[in-house]
Structure formats: C-alpha cells, structure tokens
Amino acid sequence: MTESIRLAKQLADQLSCSRREAEQYIEGGWVKVDGVLVEEPGQRIGAGQQIELLPEATLEPQDPVTILFHKPAGLNLFAETPMTELAARLVAADKRSADDRAELRFLKRHLNNLNLIEPLETLASGLLIFSQDWRVTRKLVDDAAKIEHEFIVEIAGDIMPDGLKLLNHGLNFNRKPLPPIKVSWQNEKRLRFALKAPQRGLLAHMCEQVGLQVVAIKRIRIGRLPMASLAVGEWRYLLGYERF
C-alpha cells in the first residue's frame, strides 16, 4: 500500500511554516495538488504528487460573504434540514449566475456558517439572502421593522368594491390591525405589495379578505437591493458597494 500523508503536514514541511498556517492556505483556496485546487487540509496525498502554493496566496483574513439566491416556488425552507446541507445544495458552483460581477472565486468555505435571513414560504419564489457577515444579519434582523420588501402577487378572482383601498389600509391579521401597506396594480392579474417585516401567510390572507386567490408570490426586492435579472435557482455574491 502506498504511504500517504495529510496535505497540511506536507505543505507545512515544504514551506517551513506552522501546521495552522498551512491549513489556512489550504482553506483559503491557495493550494493545488497536481494542478487541482484542494480545500481540505486533511486530504491525504501520496509520494510524488506535486503541491503548488499559488503566487497570490495570503494569510490575511478574507471577508465574509453574502449571497443572493433566486428561490424557486415550491422549495420548503422550513423543513428540518441542516443549514449547511441546504446551503451546499442551493449555493453550488454550477448554479452561480454568469452575470455575477464579484471578483471572487467560489470556495467551499463560503458555505460555512451561512445564515438564511428572511426566508420565504414554500409557495413563494424570489430573493433570498444567505450571509456569513454578522453586520448584514444584524441589519436585516434588528432593523427588520424599517426595511421594505417588495412582492409581485399573481391573483385570480374579482376584487371586492374598495378592495384596493382596504389592501392599503384597513385589514387585520392575527386579530390585529395592519399598518398602512403600499399596494397597487401592476396589471389586471398582478398586484405589487411594498411592506415592512412581512409575516408568513400575510399576503394570501390579505388577498382572501378582498375576494382574491393567490396564484403566485415573488419577492423582487429587500430594502434597496433588487433581485433584478437573477434567474430562478441561480445565485450571486453581494457586491462591496451594495447596501440594503
């Protein structure tokens, strides 16, 4: 049997650095084995395999990432699935948008400690936010009452007299009066809702109260950040200048 050794140990010996520094290089996506990027410090390599440290390699901490994902309708985000498993399934390298302008290489570490913020109900599609950045999480959670979400709701049925006025203000949810909400017609089959801190089931409930049935719901904006042209099932990185 060919003897093998952990990649981190071999790299540390090769570079005359500490084992921890070698692990950081590997986890940072700076190491290739026989020309192939390897991100697992514990991967075992055999004698004669070539280890390459990329010229731009650095031990400087890399910034946490935030990922925008276009959720398809029917995807249940409330099932008892570990977040790491969910993120790995949705945020895969081959599902990255071709229009992503972020100058980042996709690394496995970008899936570590991702928080899903403001999930959508199963019926709904649209913009989701995954983030490793505590500042983004704090902004979207602590300031949720101040951040507007925009939805396009496809409906069926005939709206009752003064229904649009009631949608804007005058309905209750969970036995409590709703604050004013901006609701307008996008076309004869679609309504635009702009509201803060949306609750699960709220949009369908509001539509039912004025005689309408919900066919589809899509979130197209959170705060100042639109989903824009991101295709269903694809994702991209939040750019450095973008703010919610």
Side-chain angles (χ1 to χ4, degrees), residues 50-84:
Q50 299 298 311
I51 302 174
E52 174 190 1
L53 183 68
L54 298 181
E56 64 271 31
T58 176
L59 291 174
E60 289 295 316
Q62 299 184 40
D63 292 334
V65 301
T66 296
I67 289 169
L68 283 58
F69 175 75
H70 186 163
K71 174 191 177 293
L75 175 63
N76 182 5
L77 299 173
F78 301 94
E80 294 182 2
T81 302
M83 182 54 62
T84 51

